[in-house]
Amino acid sequence: MPDQSIPHARTPDAPTAEPVSGTSGISRRALLGTAGATGLVLGAAGGAVGYASAPAEATPLTSVGAGRVMFHGKHQPGITDGLQARGHLVAFDLAAGAGRKEAAALLRRWSTTAERLMAGEATPHGDTDVARDAGPSSLTITFGFGYSFFARTGLEKQRPGALDPLPDFSSDHLDRSRSDGDLWVQIGANDALVAFHALRAIQKDAGSAARVRWQMNGFNRSPGATAHPMTARNLMGQLDGTRNPKPADPDFDQRIFVPASGEPGWMAHGSYAVVRRIRMLLDDWEKLSLAAQERVIGRRKADGAPLSGGDETTPMDLEKTDAHGDYVVPLTAHARITRPDENGGAAMLRRPFSYHDGVDTDGTPDAGLLFICWQADPLRGFVPVQRKLDRGDALSKYIRHEASGLFAVPGGAAEGEYVGQRLLEG
């Protein structure tokens, strides 16, 4: 779990949550009176929500419900957007006999559904009304292709070299049935019912073309639960992600997105997602003293500041020693090992969810992190950092990697396009 953070403030380079608008007609929910008053400010996005022809008795959505992310754009949604309160990760395998034609029809259906749901509208057919009373709630739906997809569709020549299977790591205890997959979908929203509604719609749209291979459900802190925006905490109680690259960084796009001139051409403005289910061995972790936990991470638990001093954003002093001549930030500290300047500049954008799936038969919690990281090339992002973690990360004693996947996530769909169209119809 590299020591990097998700940016909280929107920047001009990041997709912004926008108010629900009437540009494509009044949504079903607006007509039902679940949205429509003017003057509602959308948090950091700062947009006013309003319907020119909304019924006078309409009740305004809260800022959480009104947040909207656009489906069409240079990049797919769900990559640079802020952490959401609820998430679902689901992988599909194409059905026997399904190929390129069926995959194209499926991506077309999925894209239509995603565009409507992200706008706060009903699904095109047979909406379940699960999210009837809610707005878009910053819903994002993101689509990717696994290594096996290309052989199934006869597109091996279009498979990116960066999608080659990840190497084995010493921390791996992988369940292959919950790893990989032909297709991958990431769903996130700030309302649990909105996220579930999208999940069911995507699963129903798969029809006879694809079947679910695995599904994982996660969560984060709800928006507005803290006095001010702050780095998220994980289930170990640590601020998780302090040194994440930010869209305002001059080299952000270079590190996270495939360039317009990149190969293959259909991946222009896309990114690669590494997905890892990381179990936290919480019973062992919680037996450690506060000081011992902080030495494992290399940062103070209370505020995320490096043990060398300062606050969360203070650069870590790797050379600082204590009265005994020992490094204040131990050589095996997680935050020291994952620093980009300690890994040849390797960096990735982390956008995880926590998970808790009950307890094992022995009472051990099945809980941890659905680790998702984004990079222009996993061989220069995730792989070198994970290899170094394998060689001496103090945190490795308290976590276990139980599932893994790598997916090529193409750039965003333009108006009138569906996600992956340049691959499937190129």
Side-chain angles (χ1 to χ4, degrees), residues 64 69 94 98 218 300 311 339:
V64 172
V69 181
L94 291 173
R300 292 201 300 260
D311 58 27
R339 287 169 56 95

Side-chain angles (χ1 to χ4, degrees), residues 54-59:
E57 67 274 13
T59 302

Side-chain angles (χ1 to χ4, degrees), residues 287-351:
K287 292 175 184 175
L288 296 178
S289 67
L290 173 61
Q293 290 180 351
E294 291 180 336
R295 286 194 297 272
V296 167
I297 302 298
R299 291 182 175 274
R300 292 201 300 260
K301 194 171 185 179
D303 58 7
L307 296 184
S308 54
D311 58 27
E312 185 184 357
T313 61
T314 301
M316 185 174 289
D317 184 352
L318 300 181
E319 303 303 320
K320 187 173 182 179
T321 57
D322 59 20
H324 304 288
D326 297 321
Y327 286 117
V328 173
V329 180
L331 290 173
T332 59
H334 183 75
R336 175 191 281 268
I337 292 174
T338 58
R339 287 169 56 95
D341 54 6
E342 294 288 301
N343 293 281
M348 66 201 88
L349 178 67
R350 299 180 66 262
R351 198 174 182 278

Side-chain angles (χ1 to χ4, degrees), residues 157-337:
K157 291 183 179 179
Q158 290 297 319
R159 183 166 53 210
L163 199 58
D164 286 349
L166 297 172
D168 294 331
F169 301 106
S170 63
S171 57
D172 286 352
H173 296 77
L174 303 183
D175 178 351
R176 298 297 178 184
S177 68
R178 293 196 297 179
S179 299
D180 305 317
D182 293 341
L183 292 155
W184 175 69
V185 184
Q186 173 192 254
I187 297 168
N190 283 331
D191 178 79
L193 284 179
V194 168
F196 176 81
H197 182 232
L199 174 68
R200 288 294 299 139
I202 291 297
Q203 290 174 335
K204 288 169 63 179
D205 276 351
S208 61
R211 60 176 179 80
V212 173
R213 179 179 175 86
W214 55 259
Q215 179 187 318
M216 300 177 191
N217 311 309
F219 58 90
N220 284 305
R221 176 172 276 156
S222 298
T226 57
H228 54 81
M230 60 181 294
T231 306
R233 290 189 187 273
N234 61 32
L235 300 189
M236 288 179 162
Q238 302 290 149
L239 291 182
D240 190 344
T242 296
R243 289 181 56 85
N244 231 12
K246 296 174 176 57
D249 296 342
D251 60 351
F252 180 84
D253 279 6
Q254 176 185 340
R255 293 183 176 202
I256 307 306
F257 294 111
V258 177
S261 59
E263 292 293 336
W266 65 268
M267 272 297 290
H269 308 303
S271 188
Y272 292 91
V274 173
V275 181
R276 309 278 281 183
R277 181 185 176 94
I278 304 176
R279 169 124 29 148
M280 294 176 173
L281 308 180
L282 295 177
D283 287 343
D284 294 334
W285 175 256
E286 291 164 2
K287 292 175 184 175
L288 296 178
S289 67
L290 173 61
Q293 290 180 351
E294 291 180 336
R295 286 194 297 272
V296 167
I297 302 298
R299 291 182 175 274
R300 292 201 300 260
K301 194 171 185 179
D303 58 7
L307 296 184
S308 54
D311 58 27
E312 185 184 357
T313 61
T314 301
M316 185 174 289
D317 184 352
L318 300 181
E319 303 303 320
K320 187 173 182 179
T321 57
D322 59 20
H324 304 288
D326 297 321
Y327 286 117
V328 173
V329 180
L331 290 173
T332 59
H334 183 75
R336 175 191 281 268
I337 292 174

Side-chain angles (χ1 to χ4, degrees), residues 411-426:
E415 293 282 350
E417 283 188 343
Y418 62 86
V419 173
Q421 183 170 335
R422 281 163 280 178
L423 166 65
L424 291 162
E425 297 187 15

Side-chain angles (χ1 to χ4, degrees), residues 387-409:
R387 278 178 170 157
K388 192 166 185 181
L389 290 171
D390 267 10
R391 294 195 295 267
D393 179 21
L395 185 59
S396 62
K397 182 179 178 181
Y398 303 99
I399 61 174
R400 186 166 62 225
H401 293 238
E402 295 187 334
S404 179
L406 171 61
F407 302 95
V409 176

